[in-house]
Amino acid sequence: MTRNMRLLASASVLAAAAFAASPAFAAGTTAGTTITNSVTLTYKVGGVDQNSVTASDGFKVDRKVNLTVAEANTVTLSVSPGQQGAVTAFDVTNSSNAPLDFALAVSQLDGGTAAHGRTDNFDVSGVKIFVDTNNNGSFDSGTDQELSYLDQVAADSTKRVFVMADVPLGRATNDTAGIRLTATAAEATAAGSVGATVTETTGANTAEVDTVFADTNSNGNVARDGAHFAQDDFTVLAAALTATKTSRVISDPFNDTTNPKMIPGAVVEYCVAVANAAGGATASNVSITDTVPANTSYLAAFGIKINGTVTGSTCNEDGTSGGSYASGAVSATLADIAAGSARTLVFRVTVN
């Protein structure tokens, strides 16, 4: 296996028959099976049948160790900055002709190209491995168990494994963290504990059950090493918010609304425009607090208008009443702001 990885976590998984296939097709005859061949010889002497002569030969079927780890998702897992417990999935298949344990480990890329073509540029944290305990193919918190290995996986059967991780805050859209799940063949000894790592038999064939590694070099793996890995990645989909605050004079005591000036008694309108850049995620629970500046007074008769639109750099007069004024500050929560759109908060003051 490629070793340019930093080991993050090793966790285990409970054995249960999931995604199972009939155990005598891909894996072949079960290891340890004795195959016996017998021969019978009959003959005559002087035209009289004699006692038949028999002979037999038997040998034990050796163990072929073969396994694959495959990404269960066909696309990258989209995550949010600061998301806790993001979960992706892998399938571990025992294509051997004998039951095996599998030691599991998660590592993550240190730069380079991730599984779905993006460049790995950050690390996730809190990595854990869970087994699909109820075999429904989906992660179920509180049901699927966090353990340290796959226990006694039958020949020609598949177990689903979930990898959970936390995403740090402050990541931007398309930031990517690549991870790798590696399974290593181990002896299926006593249930409830992982066996010793399987080793390949060296030298000539013996009368006992020998072991031959048959795993391939697919997807960058090393052939015939008794281990296999697959990669997946977490790709950030973030909201990129910007806030723009503008003011304009609406009227003054002398000019009214015709070429008004910002003199004492003038009405000034403030607009806070919140925009979400294209290509990201929808921003929700966008809360605004704006302190009314000194030397002005909040104009309660106008109130607060929220969720209006913007044309260019100008706020439109299409918001609806909402928000609140208390302790010298205007506050409101805007509706969700989709990528590529904007919403506004508008209020007015008079100049003291």
Side-chain angles (χ1 to χ4, degrees):
M1 294 178 292
T2 304
R3 298 298 182 185
N4 61 344
M5 312 284 294
R6 296 196 307 279
L7 189 63
L8 282 184
S10 172
S12 55
V13 238
L14 179 70
F19 314 107
S22 177
F25 294 96
T29 304
T30 302
T33 299
T34 299
I35 295 179
T36 302
N37 175 263
S38 298
V39 62
T40 300
L41 175 65
T42 62
Y43 65 102
K44 294 182 179 182
V45 176
V48 179
D49 290 331
Q50 304 296 301
N51 292 330
S52 60
V53 178
T54 61
S56 64
D57 176 74
F59 63 86
K60 290 183 179 179
V61 176
D62 290 330
R63 182 173 61 173
K64 178 189 73 173
V65 172
N66 191 12
L67 70 152
T68 57
V69 180
E71 175 195 9
N73 307 306
T74 58
V75 296
T76 185
L77 181 67
S78 180
V79 295
S80 302
Q83 182 174 342
Q84 302 293 297
V87 176
T88 190
F90 296 86
D91 289 331
V92 180
T93 300
N94 180 14
S95 299
S96 310
N97 64 340
L100 291 171
D101 290 351
F102 292 103
L104 300 173
V106 175
S107 51
Q108 62 181 316
L109 297 180
D110 187 11
T113 303
H116 297 283
R118 293 184 174 89
T119 299
D120 171 85
N121 67 341
F122 78 95
D123 291 345
V124 290
S125 62
V127 178
K128 299 176 182 178
I129 304 175
F130 293 83
V131 63
D132 185 13
T133 305
N134 59 7
N135 302 320
N136 67 352
S138 301
F139 178 72
D140 298 302
S141 179
T143 298
D144 295 331
Q145 296 181 349
E146 180 188 0
L147 298 169
S148 60
Y149 56 92
L150 285 168
D151 191 13
Q152 298 189 346
V153 181
D156 270 330
S157 65
T158 297
K159 292 296 299 179
R160 176 153 289 184
V161 174
F162 301 107
V163 176
M164 175 186 288
D166 300 331
V167 181
L169 282 168
R171 304 312 309 186
T173 294
N174 291 328
D175 282 357
T176 299
I179 62 168
R180 173 180 293 182
L181 176 71
T182 301
T184 302
E187 300 290 350
T189 52
S193 63
V194 66
T197 300
V198 172
T199 57
E200 190 173 34
T201 302
T202 59
N205 185 57
T206 71
E208 300 305 317
V209 177
D210 296 332
T211 296
V212 176
F213 287 157
D215 51 288
T216 71
N217 63 352
S218 62
N219 301 319
N221 280 270
V222 174
R224 300 190 61 184
D225 66 347
H228 204 265
F229 67 78
Q231 296 181 177
D232 199 358
D233 45 49
F234 300 95
T235 299
V236 173
L237 186 63
L241 297 184
T242 56
T244 304
K245 187 171 182 179
T246 58
S247 63
R248 66 187 183 105
V249 60
I250 301 298
S251 64
D252 72 42
F254 300 97
N255 296 303
D256 197 21
T257 59
T258 302
N259 300 318
K261 306 297 187 293
M262 291 182 173
I263 61 175
V267 174
V268 176
E269 181 178 275
Y270 283 109
C271 175
V272 179
V274 181
N276 188 3
T282 296
S284 59
N285 301 107
V286 180
S287 180
I288 297 176
T289 300
D290 191 331
T291 301
V292 174
N295 302 314
T296 68
S297 297
Y298 171 69
L299 189 60
F302 179 81
I304 303 166
K305 304 296 188 295
I306 61 174
N307 296 320
T309 61
V310 178
T311 300
S313 59
T314 302
C315 294
N316 300 316
E317 299 293 334
D318 56 358
T320 58
S321 295
S324 62
Y325 172 75
S327 302
V330 170
S331 61
T333 298
L334 301 182
D336 291 353
I337 306 176
S341 65
R343 296 190 183 277
T344 63
L345 177 148
V346 177
F347 65 97
R348 291 179 179 179
V349 299
T350 56
V351 178
N352 296 339

Short mmCIF file of all heavy atoms in Angstrom, two decimals, residues 18-46:
data_model
loop_
_atom_site.label_atom_id
_atom_site.label_comp_id
_atom_site.label_asym_id
_atom_site.label_seq_id
_atom_site.Cartn_x
_atom_site.Cartn_y
_atom_site.Cartn_z
N ALA A 18 -23.87 -8.96 5.92
CA ALA A 18 -24.53 -7.89 5.19
C ALA A 18 -24.07 -7.95 3.76
O ALA A 18 -22.91 -8.24 3.50
CB ALA A 18 -24.20 -6.54 5.78
N PHE A 19 -24.95 -7.61 2.84
CA PHE A 19 -24.63 -7.64 1.43
C PHE A 19 -24.02 -8.98 1.06
O PHE A 19 -23.09 -9.08 0.28
CB PHE A 19 -23.67 -6.51 1.04
CG PHE A 19 -24.05 -5.18 1.62
CD1 PHE A 19 -23.33 -4.63 2.66
CD2 PHE A 19 -25.16 -4.51 1.13
CE1 PHE A 19 -23.69 -3.41 3.19
CE2 PHE A 19 -25.52 -3.29 1.66
CZ PHE A 19 -24.79 -2.75 2.68
N ALA A 20 -24.49 -10.07 1.66
CA ALA A 20 -23.84 -11.36 1.50
C ALA A 20 -24.18 -11.99 0.18
O ALA A 20 -25.27 -11.86 -0.33
CB ALA A 20 -24.25 -12.28 2.65
N ALA A 21 -23.19 -12.72 -0.37
CA ALA A 21 -23.42 -13.50 -1.57
C ALA A 21 -23.33 -14.97 -1.20
O ALA A 21 -22.88 -15.33 -0.13
CB ALA A 21 -22.38 -13.15 -2.63
N SER A 22 -23.75 -15.84 -2.06
CA SER A 22 -23.65 -17.28 -1.80
C SER A 22 -22.20 -17.69 -1.74
O SER A 22 -21.44 -17.40 -2.64
CB SER A 22 -24.36 -18.04 -2.93
OG SER A 22 -24.23 -19.42 -2.74
N PRO A 23 -21.76 -18.38 -0.66
CA PRO A 23 -20.34 -18.55 -0.43
C PRO A 23 -19.68 -19.65 -1.24
O PRO A 23 -18.86 -20.30 -0.77
CB PRO A 23 -20.26 -18.85 1.07
CG PRO A 23 -21.55 -19.44 1.41
CD PRO A 23 -22.54 -18.86 0.47
N ALA A 24 -19.91 -19.93 -2.41
CA ALA A 24 -19.10 -20.94 -3.06
C ALA A 24 -18.83 -20.60 -4.51
O ALA A 24 -18.42 -21.44 -5.26
CB ALA A 24 -19.76 -22.30 -2.96
N PHE A 25 -19.07 -19.34 -4.86
CA PHE A 25 -18.91 -18.99 -6.26
C PHE A 25 -17.62 -18.21 -6.49
O PHE A 25 -16.65 -18.75 -7.00
CB PHE A 25 -20.14 -18.22 -6.74
CG PHE A 25 -21.38 -19.08 -6.74
CD1 PHE A 25 -22.25 -19.07 -5.67
CD2 PHE A 25 -21.65 -19.93 -7.79
CE1 PHE A 25 -23.39 -19.86 -5.65
CE2 PHE A 25 -22.78 -20.72 -7.79
CZ PHE A 25 -23.65 -20.69 -6.72
N ALA A 26 -17.58 -16.92 -6.08
CA ALA A 26 -16.38 -16.14 -6.32
C ALA A 26 -15.20 -16.66 -5.51
O ALA A 26 -14.08 -16.74 -6.00
CB ALA A 26 -16.64 -14.68 -5.99
N ALA A 27 -15.45 -17.03 -4.25
CA ALA A 27 -14.35 -17.45 -3.39
C ALA A 27 -13.85 -18.84 -3.74
O ALA A 27 -12.68 -19.15 -3.56
CB ALA A 27 -14.80 -17.42 -1.93
N GLY A 28 -14.70 -19.70 -4.22
CA GLY A 28 -14.29 -21.07 -4.54
C GLY A 28 -14.48 -22.00 -3.36
O GLY A 28 -15.09 -21.66 -2.35
N THR A 29 -13.93 -23.18 -3.46
CA THR A 29 -14.07 -24.20 -2.43
C THR A 29 -13.47 -23.71 -1.12
O THR A 29 -12.39 -23.12 -1.09
CB THR A 29 -13.37 -25.50 -2.86
OG1 THR A 29 -13.92 -25.92 -4.12
CG2 THR A 29 -13.56 -26.60 -1.84
N THR A 30 -14.16 -23.97 -0.03
CA THR A 30 -13.75 -23.48 1.28
C THR A 30 -12.37 -24.01 1.65
O THR A 30 -12.07 -25.21 1.48
CB THR A 30 -14.76 -23.90 2.34
OG1 THR A 30 -16.04 -23.37 1.98
CG2 THR A 30 -14.38 -23.39 3.71
N ALA A 31 -11.53 -23.11 2.18
CA ALA A 31 -10.19 -23.51 2.62
C ALA A 31 -10.29 -24.59 3.68
O ALA A 31 -11.16 -24.56 4.56
CB ALA A 31 -9.44 -22.31 3.17
N GLY A 32 -9.39 -25.58 3.62
CA GLY A 32 -9.39 -26.68 4.58
C GLY A 32 -10.21 -27.87 4.16
O GLY A 32 -10.12 -28.94 4.78
N THR A 33 -11.02 -27.71 3.09
CA THR A 33 -11.77 -28.84 2.57
C THR A 33 -10.81 -29.90 2.04
O THR A 33 -9.86 -29.58 1.32
CB THR A 33 -12.71 -28.39 1.45
OG1 THR A 33 -13.63 -27.42 1.96
CG2 THR A 33 -13.49 -29.56 0.87
N THR A 34 -11.06 -31.16 2.40
CA THR A 34 -10.23 -32.24 1.88
C THR A 34 -10.86 -32.79 0.61
O THR A 34 -12.03 -33.21 0.61
CB THR A 34 -10.06 -33.37 2.91
OG1 THR A 34 -9.41 -32.84 4.07
CG2 THR A 34 -9.23 -34.52 2.34
N ILE A 35 -10.12 -32.79 -0.47
CA ILE A 35 -10.58 -33.34 -1.74
C ILE A 35 -9.90 -34.70 -1.92
O ILE A 35 -8.66 -34.79 -1.94
CB ILE A 35 -10.25 -32.41 -2.91
CG1 ILE A 35 -11.05 -31.10 -2.76
CG2 ILE A 35 -10.56 -33.08 -4.25
CD1 ILE A 35 -10.80 -30.09 -3.84
N THR A 36 -10.72 -35.74 -2.00
CA THR A 36 -10.20 -37.11 -2.09
C THR A 36 -10.51 -37.70 -3.46
O THR A 36 -11.63 -37.57 -3.97
CB THR A 36 -10.81 -37.99 -1.00
OG1 THR A 36 -10.53 -37.41 0.28
CG2 THR A 36 -10.26 -39.40 -1.06
N ASN A 37 -9.52 -38.37 -4.02
CA ASN A 37 -9.70 -39.06 -5.30
C ASN A 37 -9.36 -40.54 -5.09
O ASN A 37 -8.30 -40.86 -4.53
CB ASN A 37 -8.79 -38.46 -6.37
CG ASN A 37 -8.85 -39.22 -7.67
OD1 ASN A 37 -8.01 -40.06 -7.92
ND2 ASN A 37 -9.85 -38.93 -8.48
N SER A 38 -10.28 -41.44 -5.48
CA SER A 38 -10.07 -42.89 -5.30
C SER A 38 -10.06 -43.60 -6.64
O SER A 38 -10.79 -43.23 -7.56
CB SER A 38 -11.18 -43.48 -4.42
OG SER A 38 -11.17 -42.89 -3.14
N VAL A 39 -9.26 -44.64 -6.72
CA VAL A 39 -9.19 -45.46 -7.94
C VAL A 39 -9.44 -46.93 -7.56
O VAL A 39 -9.03 -47.38 -6.49
CB VAL A 39 -7.82 -45.30 -8.64
CG1 VAL A 39 -6.67 -45.76 -7.73
CG2 VAL A 39 -7.78 -46.05 -9.96
N THR A 40 -10.13 -47.65 -8.41
CA THR A 40 -10.42 -49.07 -8.19
C THR A 40 -9.90 -49.88 -9.37
O THR A 40 -10.15 -49.54 -10.53
CB THR A 40 -11.92 -49.31 -8.03
OG1 THR A 40 -12.40 -48.54 -6.91
CG2 THR A 40 -12.21 -50.79 -7.79
N LEU A 41 -9.18 -50.96 -9.04
CA LEU A 41 -8.60 -51.84 -10.07
C LEU A 41 -9.25 -53.22 -9.95
O LEU A 41 -9.25 -53.81 -8.87
CB LEU A 41 -7.08 -51.95 -9.86
CG LEU A 41 -6.34 -52.92 -10.75
CD1 LEU A 41 -6.40 -52.48 -12.20
CD2 LEU A 41 -4.91 -53.08 -10.29
N THR A 42 -9.83 -53.71 -11.03
CA THR A 42 -10.37 -55.08 -11.07
C THR A 42 -9.61 -55.89 -12.13
O THR A 42 -9.17 -55.33 -13.15
CB THR A 42 -11.87 -55.07 -11.40
OG1 THR A 42 -12.06 -54.51 -12.71
CG2 THR A 42 -12.66 -54.26 -10.38
N TYR A 43 -9.49 -57.21 -11.86
CA TYR A 43 -8.77 -58.07 -12.81
C TYR A 43 -9.19 -59.52 -12.61
O TYR A 43 -9.86 -59.87 -11.64
CB TYR A 43 -7.27 -57.90 -12.64
CG TYR A 43 -6.73 -58.37 -11.30
CD1 TYR A 43 -6.08 -59.60 -11.20
CD2 TYR A 43 -6.87 -57.59 -10.15
CE1 TYR A 43 -5.59 -60.04 -9.97
CE2 TYR A 43 -6.39 -58.01 -8.93
CZ TYR A 43 -5.75 -59.24 -8.84
OH TYR A 43 -5.27 -59.69 -7.64
N LYS A 44 -8.75 -60.37 -13.51
CA LYS A 44 -9.02 -61.82 -13.46
C LYS A 44 -7.74 -62.60 -13.54
O LYS A 44 -6.77 -62.16 -14.18
CB LYS A 44 -9.94 -62.22 -14.60
CG LYS A 44 -11.35 -61.64 -14.53
CD LYS A 44 -12.21 -62.13 -15.67
CE LYS A 44 -13.62 -61.53 -15.56
NZ LYS A 44 -14.50 -62.04 -16.65
N VAL A 45 -7.76 -63.78 -12.97
CA VAL A 45 -6.66 -64.75 -13.11
C VAL A 45 -7.30 -66.08 -13.53
O VAL A 45 -8.16 -66.61 -12.81
CB VAL A 45 -5.86 -64.92 -11.80
CG1 VAL A 45 -4.81 -66.02 -11.97
CG2 VAL A 45 -5.21 -63.61 -11.39
N GLY A 46 -6.89 -66.56 -14.66
CA GLY A 46 -7.46 -67.82 -15.18
C GLY A 46 -8.95 -67.71 -15.40
O GLY A 46 -9.68 -68.69 -15.20
#
